Amino acid sequence: MESDPTFPPGFSLAEAMMATTLGALVLGGALDMFASHHRLYRGQQTLAELQQELRGGIHVLVSELRLAGTGTLVGRPPLAVMGGEEVAFDANVNDVRGVLATAAVAGQDWMQVGSRTGWTKGKRIVVCGLAGCEEHVLARDSSTGTLRLTDRLRRDFPPGSPVEIVNQVRYYLSRRDPGNAKLMREVDAGANPLVEYVEGFSFSYLTADGRPAGRADEITLIRLHLETSHPDGRGGRICRTHVQELGVRAL
């Protein structure tokens, strides 16, 4: 029986199987290529995020450590804690400061400053005059420049006397998560992670000629050593090391 020329014969079973196999091979290769490019992209993205986190964390730490013992805090020990994996100090990290707009006399529980922002309830402040400095705690928030105190002034302060916020700042290594040690930043008892996946972290306190300092008044430089090891998303890890020496202004 002759076939109808208007209906040409279709593919044979062998041809269909061959076409299906070739299609599967092409699709599989495309999927492998896509997966490879995706892993590469994720690795590059992880590297960029890690570098940004490390760079940003170091910048914050160094910037705040340079503020230790400056401003109205001159004359105090610049570092309250000097440990291998911990440092603590007082600093005005948000640069909240002002001067007395009017005289403040002994016995007052308030003072008037020219600046109106940043004065938050519970924050410590330092006010300094010719006779010395006093430390007090703000009794309430202020947006008018009138600072209410939790206690009374012990001496008189003339107009123009400097007033500023004093923050308690602490940097330390937390190992609460065994698989992800974190460099922590704590300001006035509020702590947040600054850098994650820390493998090594240390402070060294040095004299002017590079020797380890035995006393706080011998410190000229602080050497920071930070190592991180972050999963790269491909079963490996991205390792980074940062070493920096810095001088604290008040040292």
Side-chain angles (χ1 to χ4, degrees):
M1 181 177 184
E2 296 183 359
S3 60
D4 189 341
T6 60
F7 295 98
F11 292 106
S12 67
L13 178 60
E15 290 173 329
M17 292 180 63
M18 184 177 295
T20 301
T21 301
L22 291 174
L25 290 174
V26 171
L27 180 60
L31 290 175
D32 285 343
M33 183 178 297
F34 172 79
S36 176
H37 282 290
H38 181 69
R39 286 193 297 269
L40 179 61
Y41 168 76
R42 287 296 303 160
Q44 291 174 337
Q45 185 180 43
T46 300
L47 176 59
E49 291 173 352
L50 178 59
Q51 289 174 331
Q52 182 177 4
E53 178 190 56
L54 183 61
R55 191 161 46 240
I58 292 297
H59 175 74
V60 172
L61 188 158
V62 169
S63 298
E64 293 186 348
L65 191 51
R66 291 188 190 278
L67 297 175
T70 60
T72 57
L73 303 175
V74 171
R76 297 186 183 190
L79 303 179
V81 176
M82 299 179 297
E85 294 182 347
E86 177 184 6
V87 65
F89 53 93
D90 286 345
N92 184 357
V93 297
N94 295 313
D95 197 32
V96 180
R97 66 183 74 244
V99 297
L100 291 183
T102 60
V105 300
Q108 281 185 194
D109 63 354
W110 63 275
M111 61 181 71
Q112 185 72 35
V113 297
S115 58
R116 299 187 176 187
T117 59
W119 307 102
T120 306
K121 177 181 178 180
K123 295 295 185 181
R124 294 185 301 147
I125 64 169
V126 171
V127 53
C128 293
L130 297 176
C133 299
E134 291 185 11
E135 184 176 303
H136 296 274
V137 177
L138 295 178
R140 63 184 67 171
D141 295 343
S142 175
S143 59
T144 63
T146 300
L147 307 183
R148 296 289 178 178
L149 311 176
T150 58
D151 58 353
R152 298 182 181 277
L153 296 171
R154 298 183 294 277
R155 55 170 66 92
D156 297 340
F157 295 94
S161 298
V163 183
E164 67 176 291
I165 292 283
V166 179
N167 304 108
Q168 293 178 314
V169 186
R170 177 178 173 235
Y171 286 91
Y172 62 97
L173 185 63
S174 172
R175 293 189 175 89
R176 289 186 177 181
D177 182 351
N180 182 8
K182 300 177 179 67
L183 171 59
M184 304 294 293
R185 173 182 180 259
E186 180 180 297
V187 178
D188 297 333
N192 292 287
L194 194 66
V195 179
E196 298 192 22
Y197 296 99
V198 176
E199 288 291 311
F201 174 67
S202 65
F203 290 106
S204 301
Y205 307 92
L206 309 173
T207 62
D209 58 1
R211 293 181 297 105
R215 303 189 311 271
D217 58 3
E218 294 180 340
I219 300 174
T220 302
L221 294 173
I222 299 177
R223 179 180 295 149
L224 167 66
H225 184 96
L226 177 62
E227 297 178 17
T228 59
S229 177
H230 195 289
D232 64 0
R234 296 177 292 173
R237 304 190 74 84
I238 300 172
C239 299
R240 288 289 180 270
T241 299
H242 182 92
V243 179
Q244 183 170 344
E245 291 185 355
L246 62 144
V248 178
R249 296 175 188 174
L251 293 177

